[in-house]
Structures are given as C-alpha cells and as structure tokens.
C-alpha cells in the first residue's frame, strides 16, 4: 500500500470515529501496537498485566481496540480447570471472549469492516459459506475451528506476543487485551449508538442463556420452566423464558443471594436444592404435578444435567444444556428418554453469530432485552483477578472490565 492510500485510509478511519463519537488513537496501519494485556502464563495461576505487541492484521483479519469485556465463567474454567473439566490447551494465553470494541485497521481482502466500526468479536464464527452456515438447522460454523482451539489464527500463528514470545489467543478473540486481531468471520458490526460497556455481554453469556430458552428450547407461551444455575447465563435463560411468555419460571441455585436478581429477570419462584432432603428433580416433579415443560442447565455439572433432564415432564419435556464441561460424561437412565423427553445442547444459544448479534443489540436498544441488570461490578484491566474472585465467590453476576 502506498503512503497516499495509507493516509486516505487513516483519514477515513478518523472521520468514521468522529461519526461514532468514540475515542481511538489514530489508526496505525501496518504497525505493531504496544498495549496492555492480562496474560495467563500457566494454568491455575492468576493473570499478570504485561506490555504486549499486537501485530497488524493479515489477510481476512481485523485489528480491534477492545473497549469493554465481560468476565465469563468459561474464562475462569480455561484457567483453573485446564486438564480437569476442560481439555488442556496451550499456554501462555490471553483469555477473554465477551467483548465489544472499535475496528482499528483491516487486513487485505477484508470487505465488510472499516476502521471506526463498532463491533462485537465472536468466539463462534459465521463464515456464511460452509455446509453448516448454509443450513438453518445449526449455528455451528467450523471456519478456523481447529486453529482456534489451538489458540492460533488461520496461518498457524497468534498476533499477540510478549518480548517476541507468542501468546496464544483464546477462542479466536483474546479480549483481555487493549487490542486484538480476529478473523473477519469472527466479528460483527453493530449500530453506532450502542453502548459498548453494556452490549459486550452479548458476545457470550447473555446471548447464550437467552438463546438457550428462545432458540434452542423454543419455550412456549404458558409453559413451565426450571433454570438451574442463576449466573449470567442462567439469568439470561430466565429472561428468555419470560420473553417467550412462560407461565411458571422456577430458578434453582445453591446460592440464595441470586434469587432477588432472578425475580428481576422474571423468575416466578426460586428453590435452593440444599433446603430439601429429596433430590431437586423430585422436588420439581412434585411441585409441578409431573415435571416442567422445559429445563435449562446453566451450571456445567453432569449431575445437575441429569437432575435437569429428570425434572422435565414425561412425553414432551425438553432439557437444554448450556453449562460447559469438556471431559465429563452424563449417566442417563435410558427410560427417561424413551418416555418422550428431549435432551439438547446449545452453543452460543443457537444464534447465527454474525447475523443475529446485531439484532440482539437492537433488542437491547429497544428495551426488549435487559443488559444493565447483569452488571454488578465495573473494574479496570489491572483488577482482572478480582473479577475472577468475585465470579467464583458468587458475589458478581457480570463484571465489565474497561480497557
Ligand atoms: P456463573 O458462575 O456466574 O453461574 C453459575 C451458577 O450456578 C452460580 O450462580 C452458582 O451458584 C450455580 N450453581 C453451582 N452449583 C450449583 C448446583 N449444584 N445447583 C444449582 N446451581 C448451582 O457462570 P456463568 O458465566 O453464568 O456460566 C454458566 C455455565 O455456562 C458455565 O459452565 C459456562 O462455562 C457455560 N457457558 C456455556 C456457553 C455455551 O455456549 N454453551 C457459553 C457461555 C458459558
Ligand atoms: Zn463465555
Ligand atoms: Zn461457516
């Protein structure tokens, strides 16, 4: 690219930024950006803030300035459960995958993004071309999948480094960094007036839980639902059940501090399994005269997945698993399925990421979806370990980190 073209692009970038009235330092085409990132050097150890280098985007890649990122249970699990509930993945790693930001520069052959665009990076791509993208039955695009699992981009390397040492990228995103580079199929453009410190939550937890109810379970009007686990994913599932018009929405959690929030999102009653001698599924079957129509598991434990399945009604009950575990198995009584129940899993709530996330942003802007109510804490990047502690101790629903 010659200097004139570069200047034109930078001018365009900066005029776009004025349009969006967002702050971003001058687009730095083709240069390495030095910035702060929280680095996970090894599993089980807290993150440390380092000065990292973020390389320019390569072909079909976009470099973005991350403005805000949520801290999701999955970030915690990859750090503290690696090799246990989660498969081992390469370290050192820059975590974070629930974010919103602004395009800083684009690599060759990128046609859908320009510097200054407000965007949400996506841990689940939508390439629009693969067999799965062409099918209305699934959102599970497999573009760059193997590389993403290995923490690298399509060319087999990461764009983030520390003193020339490669830092692996997380699920193709790595939002615990002031800048990151993502594939152009793992990014979606959103409206200019969306507040990035709120809509970042649509990058994972809220979309997942909400979609688990409305898209994967397809909760029906006047139905009965039970939501297991009332973190951000579970509360978003409760909200989905309410938006779908469910008559009875039972929140289940071992931490009763979550119940007040659950009622805000639409729970009609809440149960602490520890208050009952009987198994929670028996309590629910009794309470509902035969079981709920829909059960949504938002904890990530096979024991609770079973309880959720067994709490659904014979003949038509549907259980959706949103909680995450990669190494454990479920031990299902076959008869539960034979009697007409359905068991499903959901990945990112079933949403086709690139096309659906901007619609969810619209729903928030039009007050159909709540987001502000999920945010219990606002912290800065250097307080990232505090955000993990708050999540793990059950004191937070979502902490939003500003970068
Ligand atoms: P979180 O830690 O905020 O919430 C989990 C909740 O489960 C907490 O309120 C906790 O008290 C409750 N809980 C723990 N043990 C319980 C039990 N025995 N019975 C009832 N409740 C119990 O987590 P989150 O960010 O809401 O994420 C929830 C799960 O969803 C995690 O496993 C996460 O990895 C997964 N997740 C999946 C996807 C997906 O695409 N499927 C996306 C995002 C997150
Ligand atoms: Zn997540
Ligand atoms: Zn695809």
């Amino acid at each position: 690219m010659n200097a004139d073209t570069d200047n034109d692009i930078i001018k365009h970038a900066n005029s776009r930024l004025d349009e969006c009235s967002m702050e971003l330092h001058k687009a730095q085409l083709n240069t390495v950006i030095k910035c702060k990132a929280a680095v996970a050097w090894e599993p089980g150890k807290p993150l440390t803030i380092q000065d990292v280098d973020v390389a320019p985007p390569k072909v079909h890649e976009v470099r973005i300035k991350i403005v805000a990122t949520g801290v999701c249970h999955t970030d915690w699990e990859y750090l503290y459960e690696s090799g246990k509930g989660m498969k081992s993945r390469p370290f050192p790693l820059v975590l974070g995958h629930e974010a919103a930001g602004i395009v800083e520069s684009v690599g060759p052959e990128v046609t859908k993004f320009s510097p200054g665009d407000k965007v949400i990076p996506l841990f689940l791509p939508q390439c629009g071309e693969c067999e799965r993208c062409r099918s209305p039955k699934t959102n599970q695009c497999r573009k760059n999948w193997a590389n993403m699992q290995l923490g690298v981009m399509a060319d087999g390397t990461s764009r983030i480094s520390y003193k020339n040492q490669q830092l692996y990228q997380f699920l193709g995103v790595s939002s615990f960094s002031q800048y990151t580079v993502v594939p152009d199929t793992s990014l979606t453009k959103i409206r200019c007036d969306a507040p990035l410190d709120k809509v970042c939550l649509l990058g994972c937890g809220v979309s997942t839980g909400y979609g688990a109810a409305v898209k994967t379970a397809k909760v029906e009007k006047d139905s009965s639902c039970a939501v297991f686990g009332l973190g951000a994913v579970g509360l978003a599932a409760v909200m989905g059940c309410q938006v779908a018009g469910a008559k009875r929405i039972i929140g289940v959690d071992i931490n009763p501090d979550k119940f007040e929030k659950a009622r805000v999102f639409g729970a009609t009653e809440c149960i602490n399994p520890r208050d009952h001698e009987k198994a929670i599924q028996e309590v629910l079957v009794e309470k509902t005269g035969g079981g709920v129509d829909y059960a949504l598991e938002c904890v990530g434990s096979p024991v609770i997945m079973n309880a959720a399945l067994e709490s659904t009604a014979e003949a038509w009950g549907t259980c959706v698993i949103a909680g995450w575990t990669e190494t454990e198995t479920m031990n299902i009584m076959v008869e539960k399925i034979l009697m007409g129940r359905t068991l499903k899993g959901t990945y990112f709530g079933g949403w086709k990421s690139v096309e659906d996330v901007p619609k969810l942003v619209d729903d928030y802007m039009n007050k159909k979806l709540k987001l502000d109510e999920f945010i219990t804490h606002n912290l800065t990047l250097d307080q990232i370990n505090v955000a993990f502690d708050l999540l793990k101790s059950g004191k937070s629903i979502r902490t939003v980190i500003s970068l």
Side-chain angles (χ1 to χ4, degrees):
M1 230 183 272
N2 66 37
D4 275 353
T5 327
D6 273 9
N7 281 338
D8 284 349
I9 294 175
I10 290 171
K11 238 188 270 162
H12 174 67
N14 291 321
S15 70
R16 293 268 321 164
L17 294 175
D18 289 345
E19 256 172 56
C20 284
S21 46
M22 292 298 301
E23 266 179 52
L24 178 75
H25 68 72
K26 248 178 127 185
Q28 307 175 39
L29 292 173
N30 299 321
T31 58
V32 168
I33 291 182
K34 289 191 181 300
C35 67
K36 303 262 180 233
V39 179
W41 288 103
E42 53 182 308
K45 295 271 167 67
L47 308 181
T48 55
I49 306 300
Q50 314 278 187
D51 290 308
V52 300
D53 293 328
V54 181
K58 294 190 179 177
V59 64
H60 281 298
E61 292 176 0
V62 179
R63 186 161 60 183
I64 54 181
K65 176 182 164 53
I66 299 289
V67 172
T69 181
V71 177
C72 172
H73 195 113
T74 312
D75 296 308
W76 184 92
E77 279 176 307
Y78 274 90
L79 185 59
Y80 291 103
E81 289 282 308
S82 177
K84 295 182 233 164
M86 305 298 254
K87 292 178 198 153
S88 296
R89 284 187 168 79
F91 279 75
L93 175 71
V94 178
L95 290 161
H97 63 284
E98 186 178 86
I102 305 165
V103 173
E104 179 272 338
S105 60
V106 300
E109 293 175 41
V110 171
T111 54
K112 293 186 178 144
F113 300 95
S114 314
D117 285 346
K118 278 192 177 179
V119 285
I120 292 184
L122 305 162
F123 66 87
L124 170 67
Q126 185 188 356
C127 75
E129 287 165 7
C130 71
E131 190 185 10
R132 294 182 184 190
C133 276
R134 282 186 279 111
S135 166
K137 290 183 191 164
T138 181
N139 63 343
Q140 301 218 9
C141 172
R142 276 295 176 270
K143 178 95 175 176
N144 297 326
W145 182 258
N147 279 352
M148 233 173 338
Q149 297 305 307
L150 294 172
V152 291
M153 305 291 277
D155 73 345
T157 62
S158 151
R159 299 289 161 268
I160 310 179
S161 58
Y162 173 75
K163 294 186 177 166
N164 292 326
Q165 180 184 2
Q166 169 166 277
L167 302 176
Y168 289 99
Q169 289 188 232
F170 185 50
L171 303 178
V173 179
S174 288
S175 59
F176 294 169
S177 174
Q178 291 174 316
Y179 285 84
T180 189
V181 175
V182 301
D184 63 356
T185 43
S186 298
L187 191 66
T188 195
K189 191 172 153 175
I190 58 167
R191 54 198 271 177
C192 245
D193 56 346
L196 299 180
D197 59 345
K198 306 288 190 298
V199 297
C200 59
L201 300 188
L202 292 170
C204 182
V206 176
S207 301
T208 298
Y210 183 67
V214 301
K215 201 137 173 98
T216 308
K218 295 192 169 58
V219 168
E220 289 173 322
K221 196 171 178 310
D222 293 331
S223 59
S224 58
C225 306
V227 176
F228 292 73
L230 301 170
V233 175
L235 291 173
V238 168
M239 175 167 72
C241 295
Q242 191 192 41
V243 169
K247 188 163 61 191
R248 206 165 171 190
I249 306 168
I250 308 170
V252 181
D253 202 300
I254 51 171
N255 178 356
D257 294 346
K258 307 275 173 146
F259 294 166
E260 199 185 320
K261 262 280 152 80
R263 290 194 181 93
V264 170
F265 284 101
T268 54
E269 58 213 284
C270 290
I271 303 185
N272 182 348
R274 291 184 175 160
D275 290 343
H276 297 267
E277 272 174 22
K278 284 185 185 163
I280 183 67
Q281 53 268 51
E282 287 177 46
V283 176
L284 286 165
V285 167
E286 264 175 33
K287 230 176 175 347
T288 54
V292 292
D293 299 317
Y294 302 96
L296 299 128
E297 201 276 356
C298 306
V299 180
S301 149
V303 173
I304 302 166
M305 293 169 191
N306 253 318
L309 175 70
E310 293 183 7
S311 69
T312 61
E314 235 176 62
W316 56 61
T318 296
C319 172
V320 171
I321 296 172
W324 202 264
T325 174
E326 295 178 340
T327 55
E328 297 162 290
T329 53
M330 268 178 86
N331 190 8
I332 299 169
M333 240 176 106
V334 176
E335 192 234 355
K336 300 288 173 193
I337 301 287
L338 288 172
M339 288 301 118
R341 296 177 180 85
T342 301
L343 179 63
K344 290 176 165 183
T346 190
Y347 190 56
F348 194 51
W351 302 108
K352 296 246 189 205
S353 58
V354 172
E355 65 183 76
D356 286 333
V357 167
K359 294 180 195 158
L360 293 171
V361 171
D362 287 342
D363 286 347
Y364 165 68
M365 299 301 284
N366 297 330
K367 304 203 178 337
K368 182 177 168 194
L369 274 192
K370 293 185 175 77
L371 286 181
D372 304 25
E373 291 78 355
F374 287 96
I375 303 169
T376 50
H377 299 77
N378 288 283
L379 297 176
T380 51
L381 186 62
D382 55 343
Q383 296 170 305
I384 188 89
N385 293 306
V386 178
F388 275 147
D389 293 345
L390 287 167
L391 182 70
K392 218 35 217 167
S393 62
K395 293 196 180 103
S396 68
I397 301 296
R398 272 296 188 263
T399 297
V400 171
I401 303 281
S402 60
L403 292 104

